[in-house]
């Protein structure tokens, strides 16, 4: 957790000495080098291992290993899980008792203080008392009621007992904590003044930590509660509410931790910082950018000797009073942004996935640390390369002297965050500042301690016990939005993180001239170690005079944006999970559910032999008296007619409801199918084609030949590889090979339009490889155990097989066009 997060890192905010409570000394929060340590909540069994470095020694309840499960029956394991529930709740009870005593001791002097407030020599005024003790009485009553309700449940424990309703009620009263937070700054100032005037005051703990701790408790309770237990949905709901509350609080920053004093005695506060890619003299450079209340500073980390403190070197700074953003009229003079071919980016992702897999193997083998360290170093280098070369969205800033700087971002969400943060500060009455060399040196030196982002966002920097993220498919339905003040043309985009940065994955239709758009569109998004979903809401611009000539520049106005954490315990459910993201006064309703990668490999044969989805290709072609299924021919024909120049064709998700409508139409042989195709969004047609191949009861390149394809593509000798791959192709059944060749020719034509549609042969192979060639369920279970292993071992090889055939076509395109076997013999 970053040091800006509330709840985990709040410094004490009140000062009052009571006999019954001894607050933590401020020195307890200092490291040996004088920097502030990240405080943890406590060391009870409910502390989440993901959120506390000390929890490893504190008896944390952790999930059993596969080895433990082999010797444990399912029923016995379930019983142990329920026993863990009792242990977690017992820890909660003990902690609550201590906390209530602390609050009670804090409230004891409040009455005497109020009594003296009306005398001639008051210790505090009534206003000061109200400010310092604001909402403490309410918080005490909330926790006292929670404790009194939980105690008898623990004393008369039953595995069927439910406590979710208690946590739900606790979560429903989070508004009290929000009021406390809103009063925080004034309370601190008042308490500090009182501490200077009266030596009785000193540190006490803050209530907001209880929200954080309750969230951690809920995390552990969910982990040890069976999904069919009546308590599970109640705990899940309370966990969601608590998480959303903490997310909103985390956006605010403690001003005392993030400020440096200027020579004039003014506070220069750090508002935002992060790693950005700067395009400098034609080269990409990774920078750490710091936004202060009056200036923007761009720095890089100095190379220091081992054991020395790290330091920053300032590259440049711009006073916010002098900073402007590029206007649309300036685009003619914009420098060209060189981007790498997408297949190079994909190849690097595959290399990183392979190294991740090797690291997992090394950890299991326990052979030694040296090779593991070498692998981690290599993965860090490759992830850093990816982070440097992936961003393409320009973010330009200028100073009043005409000097401009260009950053490249991977996400429009991120660009909007930086722009909004700067513009918010510029609304204040800012004066241009010029720093002397000494002042600049002091400010740059302070950046190391002030920074809130400590490491570049790559998985190599994550702790071993952190979640690796989700691998598989996230199904998202964007329902509706409300809160717009004026009618507009509105749409949403969806972003997920992958390999340390965010990428746009889906886009809704534009809902025209409305204040309450009702999209109700479903998308299937592939996740590669993803942990977060972002939703951005735009107003569509149809004014061609405002179009920017830069291909990467989005001119549509962002109306709002928000994000939600993809917690595995919440989304890994058979049922849809509905949620709301509030953004800039706008509320967007959406639902989501997740399918793991191993489950997505399962192929369910259709029970209706009259359909085409889930039916063997040999059955369909025989029934149709054709060599290539009608659905394949029609979808490809429509894509080539009006979608071959569509940016991201086959990569961008189509609307799931449209895809399902086309699926039903093809399955029932609807007479109006051609009319439907001509009216349907082209991404839905592309999605229907992919779905058809994914739902085949056996992949197009067959289960039987899968191991041979894997061995063939791994051969080093080019002649041997060609001989093997061509022999395997000829070994396919006739409908399979002819359909496969038909697809190859189509994909090559799509790739010829790469300058327009941005889909190279490698991109297309990445999309279709895992669909046309994948292991059988038996093969996949025997081959791998981790979701990330499935990605690295299988998918990379599947992509390489299809790419090989695209680059080495078995027959010429001319011969393929002349081959009448591709068309129906029923003339």
């Amino acid at each position: 957790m970053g040091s800006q997060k509330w709840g985990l890192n709040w410094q004490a905010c009140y000062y009052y000495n009571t006999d019954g409570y001894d607050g933590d000394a401020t020195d307890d929060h200092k490291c040996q080098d004088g920097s502030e340590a990240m405080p943890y909540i406590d060391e009870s069994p409910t502390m989440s291992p993901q959120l506390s470095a000390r929890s490893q020694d504190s008896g944390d309840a952790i999930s059993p290993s596969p080895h433990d499960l082999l010797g444990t029956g399912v029923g016995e394991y379930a019983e142990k899980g329920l026993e863990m529930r009792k242990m977690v709740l017992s820890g909660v009870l003990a902690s609550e008792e201590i906390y209530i005593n602390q609050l009670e001791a804090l409230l004891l002097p409040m009455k005497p203080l109020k009594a003296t407030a009306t005398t001639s020599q008051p210790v505090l005024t009534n206003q000061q008392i109200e400010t310092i003790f604001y909402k403490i009485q309410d918080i005490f009553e909330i926790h006292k009621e929670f404790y009194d309700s939980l105690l008898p449940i623990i004393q008369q424990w039953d595995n069927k007992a439910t406590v979710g309703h208690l946590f739900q009620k606790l979560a429903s009263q989070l508004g009290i904590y929000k009021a406390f937070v809103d009063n925080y700054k004034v309370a601190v100032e008042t308490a500090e003044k009182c501490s200077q005037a009266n030596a009785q005051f000193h540190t006490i703990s803050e209530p907001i930590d209880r929200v954080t701790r309750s969230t951690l408790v809920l995390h552990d309770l969910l982990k040890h509660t069976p999904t069919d237990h009546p308590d599970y949905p109640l705990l899940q709901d309370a966990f969601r509410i608590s998480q959303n509350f903490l997310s909103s609080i985390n956006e605010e920053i403690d001003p005392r931790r993030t400020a440096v004093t200027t020579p004039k005695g003014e506070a220069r506060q750090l508002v935002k910082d992060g790693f950005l890619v700067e395009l400098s003299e034609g080269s990409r450079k990774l920078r750490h950018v710091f936004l202060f209340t009056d200036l923007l500073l761009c720095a890089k980390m100095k190379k220091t000797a081992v054991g020395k403190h790290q330091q920053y070197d300032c590259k440049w700074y711009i006073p916010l009073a002098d900073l402007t953003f590029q206007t649309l009229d300036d685009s003619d003079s914009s420098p060209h942004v060189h981007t790498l071919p997408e297949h190079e980016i994909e190849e690097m992702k595959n290399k990183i996935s392979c190294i991740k897999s090797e690291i997992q193997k090394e950890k299991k083998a326990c052979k030694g640390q040296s090779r593991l360290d070498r692998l981690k170093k290599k993965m860090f280098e490759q992830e850093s390369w990816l982070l440097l070369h992936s961003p393409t969205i320009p973010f330009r800033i200028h100073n009043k002297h005409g000097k401009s700087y260009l950053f490249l971002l991977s996400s429009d969400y991120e660009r909007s965050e930086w722009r909004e943060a700067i513009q918010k500060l510029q609304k204040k009455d800012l004066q241009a500042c010029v720093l002397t060399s000494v002042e600049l040196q002091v400010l740059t030196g302070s950046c190391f301690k002030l920074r809130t982002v400590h490491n570049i966002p790559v998985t190599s920097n994550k702790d071993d016990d952190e979640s690796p993220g989700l691998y598989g498919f996230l199904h998202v339905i964007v329902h509706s939005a409300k809160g717009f003040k004026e009618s507009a043309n509105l749409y949403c985009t969806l972003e997920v993180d992958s390999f340390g940065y965010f990428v746009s994955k889906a886009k809704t239709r534009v809902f025209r001239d409305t204040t309450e758009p009702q999209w109700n569109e479903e998308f299937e998004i592939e996740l590669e170690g993803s942990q977060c979903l972002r939703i951005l809401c735009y107003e569509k611009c149809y004014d061609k005079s405002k179009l920017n000539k830069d291909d990467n520049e989005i001119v549509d106005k962002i109306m709002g944006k928000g994000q939600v954490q993809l917690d595995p315990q919440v989304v890994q459910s058979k049922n849809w999970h509905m949620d709301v993201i509030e953004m800039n006064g706008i509320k967007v309703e959406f639902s989501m559910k997740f399918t793991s990668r191993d489950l997505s490999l399962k192929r369910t044969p259709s029970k209706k032999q009259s359909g085409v989805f889930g039916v063997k290709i040999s059955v369909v072609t025989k029934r149709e008296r054709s060599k290539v299924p009608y659905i394949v021919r029609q979808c490809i024909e429509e894509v080539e007619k009006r979608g071959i120049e569509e940016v991201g064709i086959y990569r961008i998700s189509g609307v799931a409801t449209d895809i399902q409508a086309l699926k039903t139409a093809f399955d029932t042989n609807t007479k109006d199918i051609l009319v439907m195709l001509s009216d349907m969004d082209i991404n839905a047609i592309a999605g229907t084609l992919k779905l058809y191949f994914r739902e085949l009861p056996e992949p197009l390149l067959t289960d039987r030949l899968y191991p041979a394809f894997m061995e063939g593509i791994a051969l080093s000798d080019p002649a041997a590889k060609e001989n093997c791959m061509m022999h395997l192709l000829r070994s396919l059944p006739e409908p399979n090979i002819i359909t496969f060749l038909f697809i190859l020719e189509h994909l090559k034509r799509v790739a010829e339009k790469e300058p327009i549609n941005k889909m190279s042969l490698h991109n297309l192979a990445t999309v279709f490889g895992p669909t046309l060639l994948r292991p059988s369920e038996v093969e996949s279970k025997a081959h791998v155990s981790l979701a990330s292993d499935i990605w690295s071992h299988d998918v990379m090889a599947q992509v390489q097989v299809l790419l090989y055939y695209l680059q080495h076509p078995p027959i010429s395109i001319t011969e393929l066009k002349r081959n009448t076997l591709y068309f129906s013999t029923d003339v």
Side-chain angles (χ1 to χ4, degrees), residues 85 164 167 218 221-222 225 231-239:
R85 271 170 53 86
F167 283 95
L218 287 165
L221 281 175
L222 279 167
T225 302
D231 222 12
Y232 192 85
L234 302 176
L235 292 170
Q236 203 173 37
D237 185 54
F239 181 70

Side-chain angles (χ1 to χ4, degrees), residues 19 59 71 84 107 207 218 237 271 295 375 445 544 555 601 618 636 654-656 671 716 729 741 777 786:
D19 295 334
M84 283 303 303
L107 290 169
L218 287 165
D237 185 54
V271 176
L295 60 85
L375 286 170
K544 292 184 178 180
V555 295
L601 292 173
S618 57
I636 285 178
V655 178
K671 293 181 180 180
S716 302
L729 202 59
L741 294 175
E777 289 184 44
L786 294 175

Side-chain angles (χ1 to χ4, degrees), residues 263-481:
K264 295 180 180 179
E266 299 169 347
R268 175 175 286 130
Q269 183 183 328
L270 178 65
V271 176
K272 181 178 177 63
D273 70 300
F275 289 93
L276 300 181
V277 175
E278 183 186 14
L279 193 62
S280 175
E281 298 177 352
S283 299
R284 292 173 178 244
K285 308 287 185 182
L286 190 63
R287 306 296 196 204
H288 199 149
V289 181
F290 296 85
L291 175 62
F292 290 93
T293 43
D294 61 341
L295 60 85
L296 185 73
L297 186 146
C298 179
K300 75 167 186 176
M301 186 70 77
K302 285 184 179 179
K303 291 183 179 179
T304 54
V306 179
K308 296 285 186 180
H309 289 306
Q310 289 182 309
Q311 292 181 332
Y312 285 103
D313 179 27
C314 177
K315 302 305 296 181
W316 51 265
Y317 78 93
I318 303 179
L320 297 188
D322 297 339
L323 187 150
T324 60
F325 297 106
Q326 174 178 322
T327 62
L328 296 176
D329 295 335
D330 296 331
S331 59
D332 288 335
S333 59
S334 301
H336 175 69
V337 179
H338 174 70
T339 57
L340 288 177
E342 190 132 349
H343 70 85
E344 290 188 28
I345 301 293
E346 292 298 328
E347 285 171 4
M348 183 57 75
K349 287 182 181 180
N350 290 333
K351 288 178 182 178
I352 293 169
S353 296
C354 282
I355 294 178
K356 285 182 181 179
S357 178
E358 288 184 54
I359 288 173
Q360 293 297 331
K361 287 181 179 178
E362 283 296 315
K363 286 180 179 178
K364 291 178 183 177
C366 301
K367 292 182 179 179
Q369 191 66 28
S370 58
R371 173 167 164 72
L372 192 60
D373 290 340
R374 287 197 302 272
L375 286 170
K376 286 184 176 180
K377 182 181 178 182
K378 187 176 181 181
M379 186 169 81
F380 176 81
E381 291 170 351
Q382 293 184 345
E383 286 190 313
S384 299
W385 181 94
L386 192 64
L387 192 69
L388 198 63
H389 291 90
S390 297
T392 59
I393 298 176
F395 177 49
R396 297 182 179 86
I397 54 176
H398 307 261
N399 67 14
K400 67 177 183 181
H401 303 296
K403 176 68 175 175
S404 63
Y405 302 92
L406 172 60
F407 292 109
L408 299 175
L409 310 182
S410 64
S411 158
D412 201 31
Y413 188 104
E414 187 180 6
R415 178 171 61 177
S416 175
E417 279 191 318
W418 279 100
R419 183 174 284 158
E420 287 172 6
I422 292 171
Q423 290 173 335
K424 184 178 180 180
L425 293 171
Q426 287 180 324
K427 290 179 180 178
K428 301 175 182 178
D429 184 21
L430 295 173
Q431 300 295 322
C433 58
V434 178
L435 303 182
T436 66
S437 58
V438 174
E439 289 172 347
L440 183 59
Q441 185 177 355
V442 171
L443 179 61
T444 307
S446 69
C447 286
F448 185 78
K449 286 188 178 181
L450 293 176
R451 62 183 179 162
T452 62
V453 180
H454 294 261
N455 298 307
I456 64 173
V458 294
T459 54
S460 322
N461 285 330
K462 290 183 178 180
D463 296 332
D464 290 341
D465 58 357
E466 281 193 66
S467 169
L470 296 172
Y471 289 82
F473 296 93
L474 183 70
H475 300 265
V476 182
I477 301 176
V478 183
H479 296 292
S480 60

Side-chain angles (χ1 to χ4, degrees), residues 478-493:
V478 183
H479 296 292
S480 60
K482 56 186 178 181
F484 299 97
K485 295 178 181 178
E486 297 179 357
S487 293
N489 304 311
L490 304 166
Y491 69 93
C492 286
T493 63

